[in-house]
Amino acid sequence: MIQIPPGAFARPGTSLEFKTGTWRAERPVHQRRAAPCHSACPAGEDAQAYLAKVEMGDMRGAWETVVAANPLPAITGRVCHHPCESACNRAHYDESITIHGVERFLGDEALRQGWSYPVPIPSADAPRMAVVGSGPAGLAAAYHLLRGGCRVTLIEAMPAAGGTVRTAIPHYRLPPDVLEQELDHMLALPGLDFRLRTQLGRDVSLEELRADHEAVFLGPGRRKGREGSADFAVPGNLRTGLQLLEAWVAGGTLPEQPRSVAIVGGGNTAVDLARVLRREGVEQVHLISHQRVPAPGVPADDAMRATYREVSQALEEGVTIHEHRGVRRLILRGERVVGMELVHMKKLEDADGRLRRVAFEGTETVLHVDQVIPAIGQDVDGSGFESLVRRGYMEVEPWWGTVDGQSGIFSGGDARSDHGTVSEAVGDGRRAAAAMLRYRAGKQLEPGAPPEPIPYSDLNLSYFETAPASKEPVLPPEQRLGLEEIEGGLQANAVRHEAHRCLSCGDCLACDNCWTLCPDQSVLKTREVAADGSHYVFDYDFCKGCGICAHECPTGYIRMIPE
Amino acid sequence: MNEQPLHDLDTLRARQPRFRGLESGHRACQGCGEALAARLTTEAAGPDVVVANATGCLEVFTTPWPQSAWRLPWIHSVFGNTAAVAAGMEAALKQQGRATQVLAFAGDGGTFDIGFQALSGMMERGHDVLFVCFDNEAYMNTGVQRSGSTPHAAMTTTSPPGELRMGKRHMKKDILSIIAAHHIPYAATASVAYPSDLRKKVRRAMDTEGASFLQIHSPCPLGWGHDGAKTIEVARLAVQTGLFPVIEMERGELIGTLPIREPRPVSDYLKLQNRFRHLFASEYRARKELEHLQAIANRNIERFELRGVGPETYDTEGADTVHRGGDRWA
Amino acid sequence: MALALEGSQALARTVALCRPQVVAAYPITPQTHIVEGIAKLVADGHLACEMVSVESEHSAASVALGAAAAGSRAYTASASQGILLMAEVLYDISGLRIPLVMTCANRALSGPLNIWNDQQDSMSMRDSGWIQLYCATNQEAVDTTVQAFRIAERCELPVMVCVDGFTLTHTLEPLELPTAEQVDGFLPVYSFRHGLDPADPRSLGTLVGPEHFSEVRHAHHQAMMRAQTEIEQADADWAAVVGRHCGGLVEARGDPEARLGILTLGSVLGTLEDAMDSDPELPRARFIKLRSFRPFPAEALRRACEGLDHLIVLERALSPGAGGIVGPEVQTALIEMEEPPRVHNYAAGLGGRDLSLDLYSRIVQAVFGAERPREFAIIDAEPDLLPESDR
C-alpha cells in the first residue's frame, strides 16, 4: 500500500504509472506514401528514395535505388521528358527538383566507377525466359527477369542493341559513347544470352521461343513508318520522318538539301527531325501539329507528344511550329510538292463524349515549302507474330503487358498504341518481367496502377527554405551546330544541392520534428531503423493523439487514424 | 504500419539521447503548448537544476500526488512567490558552494500579475535564477479568465464579448520592457514554434550569471479555442504576424530578433482561434478591432525592426528548417 | 557572563550563533533591530550567510522556504502586517513540513494603524500549523531561539518564536549569550530529509486530492502533537548545557499554594510577578506561563492548574465577537480535570497600552470584586472614551 510521506512529496517520473494513451481518439501512424515524382515516373523510379540516399552521401546506394527500377539511367537521364519534375511538389513552392540531372549523374557515375548491377548470378537450372527486341522495353524486361533469378534469351534483329534509342535519337541528345557504355554494362550481366541479327519469324519462330522458354516478352518497337493518313495523300516517293532521322543518325547526312520543309506530326520523331534539318542548314523548318506546344498548364491530350524540353529547344533553334493545324491537301506542281493547304483544327468532345478532330471552315491557309515529310507515327513490324498485331499496334493489358488470349506472351514499349517514350518502355518491360515471374509461379495478376501520390497540401512547408534549382549548362542555340551534347548535366555539388532541396514527400526525413514537438514525450527516437522504416516509435501508452506530430511532419509521413 | 515495434519501449525511453526533465504521463490537455515549452526548457537546462514552480496548469498537471512527471528536483509553493522561492534556493545553493542552477517556472498570471512583485525583487537583487514565463495569455487553470497578458480584444470568461464589449478592453502588458528596465543581463522571448531558438536561449540564459528572463509563447488549445494539432501552427503565426515578437535583450538593450521575412496578416493567426471569433463578425466594431490588432502587429514589426536587414540566414522561415537526419539536438 | 544588551541585538547574535545560511527579511517595526543586527554581523564577516533583503514579507517567507527546501538552515523575522502578508506562505511551509525558524516581534494589527505591542499577529496564525513558542524574557528569547532550530529540524515543522515587540525587542536587560561551542554542540549541521537534490530529484508541493488530503492533515496534526516531547526535551537538553531552562511547554510559578491562577503568554508575566511581589497585601497567585501555544499542551496545562479554584487567562489579543482566543482553549482543556478551576478570560495591554503594576489588582478585583465584569473583557479599556452606543 502506498504511504504518504511528510508533505506529500512525489518521486521522479512516477507519472509513467498514468497511461494517458487511454485519452486518445486518433492515433498517429507512420505511413510511407508515394512522392509525386515516384507516381509520375513511367519507368517506376522512386526519385525521392534515391535523392534521400544522395543527400546522405551514398551515391552508390542511390544508383542502386535507381536501377531497382531502371537499368539505363545514363540514357533516360538524358532523353526522358521527366514527368517526375512536372509532378514534383516543390514546383508549388519554388522550382521542381532537377531530378533528371541527378538520375543522369548517377548513371554516369556508375559507368565511371564501374559499379555492378545488384543482380544475382542465376543458377544452372534457373527458369529461362525469352525477350524479343533489345530496345528499352526489351532491355528492361530482360534486366528485371535477370534480377528475378532467371536466365534470359534476348534476340535482336539488328546488328546492334538499343532499338529506337540507338537508331532514332540524335547524338546531341544522347552521345553515342554514353549509349554504348551503358548498353555494354547491362548486356554483360551473367545469365543473359544475347543474340544479334536474330529476327523473329526468320531466324527463330515464336513457337520455338515459347517451347524453349517459360514465357516470352515481345518488344518489337514500331519501326514501320506510316506513309499517310486519311487527311492527305502522300506521293509514293516521299520518305517518312523516321526513315530520314534514322538515316541521319546512322550516317550523319541527309539525301536532299531543300530550302524549306514542312514536317507533319507532333511527336519526338517530328521534333528531332526538325532540329536535325536546322542543323543541316535547312532555312525554314515548319512543324504542323494538331495539338499545341506542350507547356505547363496545357492538358496532356491537347499537347504535342514531343517533350516540352525538346520542343522548347527546337523553337530556340528556329523551328516554326503551327499549332492546332491540320493538312487539307498537298499542292503539287507536277510531281513536285510546292506547298500545302492548312486548316485550323482542334479536338473536341462530340455528343457521345468522344474526342474528335474538328476542322474550322474558312481558316484555310497555304504554306509554300520545298518538301513535306510525314512524321505521323509508325506501326509495329509484326514479322513472325502477325496475328498479334492489330491496326499497327500490339494490344496489351496496360499494367502487366499480357496479350489477350496469349498465355505466356507479354509485350510493351512502343509496340503499344499509347506508349512512345523510352521511360514508358522501361516501365512496361519492368512490369511485364514481374508479370512473367508471377505467371511462372502460377500467381494471379491483380490489377495494378501507379501509387497514389501524396498531395502538396499534405506537406508542412514551414520547415523548408526557398532555394533555386540547380540548372545544368545548356549550349546556346547559335552553338548547336553539330553533334555536341546540348545539356551539360549537373556536377556533384549541384546534385547534392538538389537532393537537399528534395521535400522528401511522404517519407521520413529523420528530421526529429515529431520527437522535438511532442508535448507528451510520446515519440521515442531509435538509433537503428524501426520496424516501419522510420527512426521513431510512438509510445501509445502515453500518446494522447493530439496530432501535432502529424500536422507538423514536413513530409506528410505521419497520419492520424481513428482508434 | 502499426507493426509491433522491435523495441522494448521502457528500454528505448531510458536510452533517449536527451534529458527527460518532464516525463510522459502528465495530464496536460492534448496539444498543450505549455507542456511542450516546459519539456523543451528542462531538456535544455537539466539535469543539474532545481525548479520552483508557481501555481497553475503546469504545476497541477505534472504533480497529482502520488505521481510526478518531473525528473528534476522541483517545488511548488504558492501562486505569487515563485521568484522568491527560487531566490531562496539560489541563496542556499550559493552558500553551500554548489553549481546547481535555479529555474523558476510560472504562467503569465504568476509573472505579469500576482507574481510580479516577487519577480521584480528577485531581478533587482540579481539572483542567479532563470525565470521562465510560460505565456498562454490568460488564467487557464481556473477556467480561462483574463490576465495582464491577455491580448487586446481576446475573449476570456471574464472579458466576454457582448453588446457593449469586444473582449478584453485593455492591452497586453509589455512585460519584456518592464523586465528590461531592471537591466538584467539577459531577457528574451521565445516560442514553442521555434524549439531550436528556444533551447538556445535557455542555454544562454543559464550561462549568464545573474537574473535572466525568458517568456515563451505557449498556445493553449482549450483556452484559445484551436485544434490541439495546430498548437505549433498557431504559435508560428503569432510570430510571423508580428503579434508576438521574438527578441533578445542584454542589460535592457535589444540585441537580437527573429526577423520575419514575409509578415502574415494578423487575421491568419486570429481566425484559427475561437477567442477571436467575434472579430470576424460583419460589423464595424469587429472590423475596427481587427485593424487595431493589425496596427499593434505593425507597430511591433516597426519597433523591433522585425523585417530584418540584409541577408539573414536566421529568420522565421529558416529558424527551424529541418533536414535529413535531424540533429536539432546535437 | 551577563551582558546588558537590547533584546533585538541579543537575538541577532543568537541567530548568528545558530549559523543560518540564508536569512531573508523585510523591515517592519518592531522587528527591524533584529535583522539590522544580523545584516551587520554578515557585513562584518562574523556570519557566513546570504542575507536576502527582500521586497515584502511574502517574499521573506518564500525565500526562507526555498532556502530550507534547498538544504540550508533558514531564518526570517517579522511582525504584525508582515505576518499577515506571509500568511499563505506560512501555511505552505508547515504543510510541506519544511523546518525553519521565524521570530515574531509581536505587534498589534491594523487598522487603525498601531505599531506597538500585543499578540494579535501571532494569534492570527494560530491554525497555520507552525509551532509557536512565547518568550517571557529576553533571556528566554535567546534560549528559545537556539532550541527552536533543533525542534524545527527534528520535527520537520517550522517554529515561530514570539517575542513581545518593544517590551522585549527594544529593552535592555542583562542576559547571558551562549558560546559558539555550546550552540554548535547542541545544534547538528542542518539536514532536511526530503529536500531538493538533483541526485534524488523529488517533487515537493504536489497536488493532493480528496483521497489523500485528510491523511496529510492528520500527519501534520500528529507531528505537531508529537512535537510536545521535542519541545520539552530541547529545553531540558539546553538547560543541561547552559544551566537555564525556559519552562518547557508550560510552567507554573509564583505561589504553589495559591488557589488563584493567572495564565499568560509572553512578557506580561514579569509585570504581574513584580506587582504581586511589590504588595504583600494582594492575594497570592500561581502564574501559569504558557510557553507553547502550538502545539497546545493540554495535559501539561491540567497538571499546572491542579488545585486552583480560579484561573484568569490574560491575553494580549482577542477574537472580536467571541472574546478571548486562548481562554476558550484553556477552558476546554481543563474541563477534563476532576475539579477544574473557574476560568476568567480578559484581555489587556492591546496596541502597547502600558501594563502598570495595578493591572494585578484590577484583574483580581475583576474576579473577586463586587462588580464582576462580563465573562470576557478588555480589562484596561476605558469605555468612557467612547460614545454611549459603543460602550
Side-chain angles (χ1 to χ4, degrees):
Chain A
M1 201 171 74
I2 188 151
Q3 293 200 331
I4 307 173
F9 65 80
R11 294 280 172 192
T14 40
S15 57
L16 289 173
E17 294 160 14
F18 191 76
K19 311 295 186 202
T20 51
T22 55
W23 301 3
R24 199 171 53 236
E26 287 185 309
R27 68 167 57 199
V29 290
H30 291 146
Q31 202 172 89
R32 172 105 201 259
R33 295 158 77 190
C37 52
H38 183 190
S39 295
C41 178
E45 288 179 28
D46 187 349
Q48 183 276 321
Y50 64 73
L51 285 163
K53 290 228 161 68
V54 169
E55 193 177 21
M56 289 186 284
D58 180 9
M59 289 295 185
R60 182 167 187 167
W63 176 76
E64 287 177 354
T65 306
V66 176
V67 299
N70 169 19
L72 306 171
I75 293 171
T76 50
R78 288 172 167 83
V79 305
C80 181
H81 55 301
H82 43 72
C84 51
E85 294 182 23
S86 312
C88 177
N89 270 331
R90 184 134 193 159
H92 302 281
Y93 186 63
D94 46 20
E95 295 177 273
S96 300
I97 311 297
T98 309
I99 300 172
H100 78 276
V102 177
E103 181 192 26
R104 167 178 167 168
F105 177 87
L106 293 171
D108 288 356
E109 196 66 7
L111 296 175
R112 205 171 66 79
Q113 306 264 9
W115 292 333
S116 39
Y117 288 98
V119 173
I121 296 171
S123 59
D125 58 350
R128 303 185 70 85
M129 299 287 189
V131 174
V132 177
S134 68
L139 288 171
Y143 168 80
H144 283 285
L145 289 166
L146 292 168
R147 278 177 73 96
C150 301
R151 292 182 168 275
V152 177
T153 307
L154 174 62
I155 64 168
E156 169 58 58
M158 305 280 285
T164 323
V165 175
R166 176 181 293 280
T167 59
I169 294 183
H171 295 171
Y172 57 81
R173 275 175 64 191
L174 177 61
D177 57 328
V178 175
L179 173 73
E180 298 301 347
Q181 278 186 59
E182 196 158 53
L183 290 181
D184 288 352
H185 192 203
M186 202 217 102
L187 291 168
L189 282 171
L192 181 65
D193 178 8
F194 183 40
R195 302 179 195 163
L196 286 169
R197 299 185 185 81
T198 307
Q199 189 171 340
L200 193 63
R202 183 189 73 191
D203 303 308
V204 61
S205 74
L206 184 57
E207 283 60 43
E208 285 170 319
L209 282 181
R210 290 176 88 161
D212 293 346
H213 300 85
E214 309 259 354
V216 180
F217 177 81
L218 297 176
R222 270 185 268 153
R223 308 213 357 94
K224 225 163 72 179
R226 284 188 204 142
E227 289 169 350
S229 76
D231 287 349
F232 64 96
V234 177
N237 64 344
L238 283 196
R239 296 189 187 231
T240 66
L242 183 63
Q243 286 169 329
L244 285 169
L245 188 60
E246 286 186 350
W248 185 80
V249 170
T253 54
L254 286 172
E256 287 116 11
Q257 275 290 339
R259 240 170 29 84
S260 59
V261 174
I263 302 166
V264 182
N268 278 323
T269 305
V271 174
D272 282 343
L273 181 64
R275 300 175 67 188
V276 164
L277 291 171
R278 287 289 298 143
R279 278 167 178 71
E280 289 301 307
V282 178
E283 281 172 33
Q284 290 177 38
V285 179
H286 299 274
L287 215 58
I288 318 295
S289 173
H290 293 132
Q291 281 133 334
R292 288 171 62 192
V293 168
V298 174
D301 59 9
D302 195 29
M304 293 161 60
R305 292 199 56 179
T307 64
Y308 172 63
R309 175 185 52 180
E310 306 304 330
V311 176
S312 314
Q313 289 180 357
L315 288 168
E316 286 170 4
E317 291 161 14
V319 174
T320 308
I321 298 179
H322 303 261
E323 299 176 298
H324 281 163
R325 229 52 68 85
V327 181
R328 264 284 157 81
R329 63 187 178 92
L330 294 189
I331 302 168
L332 302 174
R333 188 161 293 163
E335 282 294 293
R336 201 164 63 87
V337 173
V338 294
M340 60 212 297
E341 186 182 313
L342 303 179
V343 66
H344 286 247
M345 59 195 316
K346 201 168 179 183
K347 269 188 179 172
L348 295 174
E349 261 183 35
D350 68 7
D352 302 329
R354 275 180 308 205
L355 283 175
R356 200 177 278 286
R357 284 193 205 118
V358 180
F360 301 104
E361 201 181 333
T363 61
E364 296 83 355
T365 49
V366 169
L367 180 68
H368 292 287
V369 288
D370 296 346
Q371 190 178 5
V372 173
I373 303 169
I376 50 175
Q378 297 90 36
D379 288 335
V380 174
D381 178 356
S383 315
F385 52 100
E386 291 80 358
S387 63
L388 304 184
V389 179
R390 294 197 182 87
R391 285 177 300 174
Y393 300 118
M394 300 281 295
E395 282 190 14
V396 302
E397 190 280 326
W399 187 257
W400 298 115
T402 49
V403 178
D404 201 23
Q406 300 292 322
S407 173
I409 294 191
F410 299 80
S411 181
D414 282 1
R416 288 171 58 160
S417 65
D418 56 344
H419 279 177
T421 67
V422 175
S423 314
E424 285 167 336
V426 169
D428 287 350
R430 180 177 62 81
R431 294 190 309 276
M436 291 161 82
L437 293 169
R438 280 191 175 80
Y439 165 76
R440 181 184 173 268
K443 288 185 193 158
Q444 274 302 113
L445 291 175
E446 304 296 332
E452 192 62 34
I454 179 172
Y456 181 64
S457 56
D458 281 9
L459 307 181
N460 190 328
L461 276 300
S462 308
Y463 298 96
F464 299 101
E465 279 188 285
T466 53
S470 304
K471 300 281 192 292
E472 58 192 323
V474 177
L475 277 186
E478 61 276 13
Q479 287 177 28
R480 297 180 201 162
L481 302 171
L483 303 180
E484 193 184 341
E485 191 170 14
I486 293 173
E487 296 180 341
L490 296 180
Q491 300 300 306
N493 55 351
V495 165
R496 278 193 291 271
H497 174 73
E498 288 306 295
H500 191 67
R501 290 180 68 239
C502 174
L503 302 177
S504 190
C505 306
D507 191 18
C508 183
L509 259 179
C511 69
D512 284 356
N513 239 16
C514 52
W515 190 59
T516 305
L517 297 175
C518 175
D520 301 315
Q521 196 91 259
S522 301
V523 178
L524 301 177
K525 186 172 178 168
T526 65
R527 212 168 301 168
E528 53 290 316
V529 177
D532 59 18
S534 84
H535 282 274
Y536 309 94
V537 176
F538 296 111
D539 190 339
Y540 294 119
D541 274 354
F542 299 103
C543 168
K544 297 170 186 163
C546 72
I548 286 181
C549 55
H551 192 71
E552 297 305 321
C553 178
T555 69
Y557 178 66
I558 303 175
R559 297 187 97 171
M560 300 301 292
I561 59 168
E563 277 297 331
Chain B
M1 83 191 198
N2 281 341
E3 281 176 60
Q4 271 307 106
L6 297 169
H7 302 86
D8 166 47
L9 289 181
D10 292 341
T11 313
L12 186 58
R13 182 171 285 275
R15 275 197 346 216
Q16 290 299 289
R18 67 184 183 201
F19 170 60
R20 299 186 320 290
L22 183 61
E23 188 55 274
S24 295
H26 65 69
R27 303 177 188 197
C29 302
Q30 286 141 323
C32 175
E34 188 180 42
L36 173 58
R39 211 211 72 209
L40 292 167
T41 301
T42 49
E43 275 161 20
D48 192 15
V49 296
V50 291
V51 177
N53 201 139
T55 307
C57 286
L58 180 62
E59 164 256 331
V60 169
F61 73 65
T62 55
T63 54
W65 194 87
Q67 291 151 8
S68 170
W70 300 101
R71 287 197 183 276
L72 30 73
W74 178 95
I75 186 168
H76 158 247
S77 176
V78 295
F79 200 171
N81 70 346
T82 311
V85 172
M89 300 195 302
E90 183 258 6
L93 294 166
K94 193 166 160 189
Q95 197 48 228
Q96 293 164 28
R98 286 161 68 183
T100 302
Q101 299 270 308
V102 181
L103 298 176
F105 290 171
D108 45 293
T111 305
F112 290 60
D113 298 344
I114 196 171
F116 182 72
Q117 176 178 319
L119 170 59
S120 178
M122 185 276 284
M123 291 188 296
E124 178 267 327
R125 294 189 301 272
H127 290 278
D128 192 3
V129 168
L130 166 57
F131 190 100
V132 183
C133 169
F134 300 108
D135 183 5
N136 56 21
E137 304 188 327
Y139 290 91
M140 298 315 185
N141 194 36
T142 43
V144 199
Q145 293 85 17
R146 60 88 84 189
S147 77
S149 173
T150 301
H152 177 67
M155 171 180 73
T156 69
T157 54
T158 50
S159 64
E163 281 299 310
L164 302 179
R165 296 275 183 272
M166 286 299 281
K168 186 185 176 188
R169 279 184 290 163
H170 317 102
M171 302 299 130
K172 181 181 171 100
K173 191 192 275 188
D174 181 5
I175 193 76
L176 203 69
S177 292
I178 304 170
I179 300 295
H182 289 74
H183 297 279
I184 58 170
Y186 185 72
T189 59
S191 163
V192 289
Y194 298 92
S196 304
D197 175 69
L198 189 162
R199 292 172 49 85
K200 196 193 66 178
K201 284 172 173 166
V202 170
R203 289 202 201 93
R204 180 156 180 188
M206 304 269 297
D207 289 344
T208 305
E209 207 170 307
S212 47
F213 178 86
L214 186 59
Q215 177 189 2
I216 305 177
H217 202 229
S218 313
C220 169
L222 189 75
W224 296 10
H226 64 77
D227 181 356
K230 292 191 175 167
T231 292
I232 304 301
E233 185 179 338
V234 167
R236 186 162 47 231
L237 283 167
V239 174
Q240 292 184 343
T241 53
L243 281 174
F244 190 86
V246 175
I247 60 175
E248 278 181 299
M249 288 180 158
E250 278 181 358
R251 300 281 177 204
E253 298 289 329
L254 187 69
I255 57 142
T257 61
L258 191 72
I260 309 172
R261 194 176 285 172
E262 278 302 327
R264 304 273 295 266
V266 293
S267 56
D268 282 6
Y269 170 63
L270 304 174
K271 71 187 175 198
L272 294 178
Q273 306 170 56
N274 238 348
R275 62 176 175 156
F276 295 111
R277 191 181 43 188
H278 55 288
L279 303 185
F280 292 90
S282 60
E283 49 182 336
Y284 166 70
R285 56 184 193 148
R287 291 196 301 278
K288 189 180 130 207
E289 290 300 5
L290 213 50
E291 288 302 329
H292 189 165
L293 288 169
Q294 184 63 60
I296 289 171
N298 294 348
R299 178 184 179 264
N300 285 339
I301 291 169
E302 215 172 273
R303 177 178 171 207
F304 298 114
E305 294 179 1
L306 296 177
R307 292 303 293 271
V309 277
E312 287 277 355
T313 53
Y314 172 65
D315 59 22
T316 51
E317 301 283 321
D320 274 282
T321 306
V322 296
H323 53 90
R324 192 173 298 282
D327 286 345
R328 276 192 178 186
W329 303 90
Chain C
M1 187 187 73
L3 296 165
L5 272 179
E6 187 206 40
S8 294
Q9 290 307 316
L11 278 175
R13 287 167 64 169
T14 304
V15 168
L17 287 169
C18 296
R19 305 188 193 279
Q21 288 175 292
V22 177
V23 172
Y26 185 78
I28 183 166
T29 302
Q31 152 265 34
T32 43
H33 291 186
I34 303 170
V35 292
E36 286 165 7
I38 296 171
K40 181 69 174 141
L41 289 168
V42 172
D44 289 343
H46 297 309
L47 172 61
C49 169
E50 283 296 316
M51 177 76 203
V52 187
S53 298
V54 290
E55 81 296 332
S56 73
E57 286 89 354
H58 195 272
S59 285
S62 303
V63 165
L65 180 160
S72 284
R73 183 169 289 155
Y75 170 82
T76 186
S78 191
S80 185
Q81 308 302 124
I83 298 288
L84 290 197
L85 189 54
M86 284 182 176
E88 63 160 341
V89 185
L90 299 187
Y91 272 74
D92 193 55
I93 289 167
S94 66
L96 298 186
R97 306 288 306 278
I98 291 174
L100 55 86
V101 172
M102 170 164 75
T103 302
C104 175
N106 287 110
R107 172 187 141 179
L109 290 176
S110 289
L113 176 65
N114 177 288
I115 62 164
W116 293 276
N117 170 226
D118 67 29
Q119 294 169 347
Q120 192 74 47
D121 50 3
S122 54
M123 283 296 153
S124 74
M125 287 298 110
R126 181 188 68 179
D127 302 332
S128 65
W130 281 57
I131 292 171
Q132 285 193 4
L133 302 177
Y134 286 78
C135 304
T137 63
N138 277 335
Q139 184 67 62
E140 278 189 21
V142 165
D143 293 330
T144 299
T145 298
V146 178
Q147 294 172 26
F149 281 102
R150 197 179 90 168
I151 296 163
E153 290 160 24
R154 287 201 182 171
C155 299
E156 295 178 334
L157 286 167
V159 179
M160 187 185 294
V161 179
C162 301
V163 182
D164 286 317
F166 293 111
T167 319
L168 293 179
T169 58
H170 287 55
T171 306
L172 221 65
E173 278 181 11
L175 49 76
E176 289 196 23
L177 285 184
T179 64
E181 292 71 32
Q182 286 171 328
V183 177
D184 290 344
F186 183 73
L187 282 184
V189 173
Y190 176 81
S191 77
F192 177 32
R193 278 192 306 159
H194 51 275
L196 298 168
D197 183 2
D200 184 8
R202 296 184 189 86
S203 300
L204 274 65
T206 57
L207 171 72
V208 178
E211 63 277 21
H212 299 115
F213 195 70
S214 297
E215 289 69 29
V216 172
R217 297 295 282 166
H218 177 83
H220 191 166
H221 176 57
Q222 290 303 317
M224 285 290 279
M225 297 311 281
R226 280 197 309 274
Q228 294 183 59
T229 315
E230 193 55 53
I231 293 167
E232 287 192 302
Q233 191 61 49
D235 196 33
D237 290 352
W238 183 239
V241 176
V242 295
R244 297 181 299 272
H245 68 84
C246 301
L249 296 164
V250 58
E251 183 186 20
R253 295 155 58 140
D255 185 346
E257 302 302 319
R259 312 292 288 177
L260 170 67
I262 303 175
L263 183 146
T264 59
L265 300 87
S267 64
V268 67
L269 176 63
T271 309
L272 294 173
E273 283 179 330
D274 287 351
M276 188 177 81
D277 292 347
S278 68
D279 186 353
E281 298 300 310
L282 286 170
R284 300 291 92 182
R286 190 192 306 172
F287 296 105
I288 311 292
K289 185 179 81 179
L290 186 62
R291 182 176 179 242
S292 171
F293 176 52
R294 283 291 181 273
F296 190 77
E299 185 55 44
L301 189 60
R302 284 191 285 270
R303 282 199 304 275
C305 292
E306 207 66 60
L308 292 178
D309 294 332
H310 293 275
L311 176 65
I312 300 169
V313 177
L314 186 64
E315 306 194 37
R316 313 283 308 278
L318 75 154
S319 175
I325 297 168
V326 184
E329 293 195 11
V330 170
Q331 192 158 20
T332 306
L334 299 189
I335 279 170
E336 290 189 20
M337 293 173 69
E338 262 178 42
E339 289 178 56
R342 170 105 196 256
V343 175
H344 311 269
N345 193 187
Y346 308 122
L350 302 182
R353 174 154 301 184
D354 197 25
L355 294 166
S356 55
L357 289 177
D358 72 346
L359 176 68
Y360 187 89
S361 54
R362 285 180 72 167
I363 56 174
V364 170
Q365 189 68 28
V367 173
F368 300 110
E371 272 188 59
R372 286 181 43 191
R374 287 161 289 184
E375 198 53 40
F376 171 82
I378 302 174
I379 198 96
D380 52 352
E382 295 188 28
D384 294 349
L385 294 175
L386 295 168
E388 194 76 34
S389 56
D390 285 349
R391 285 178 192 169

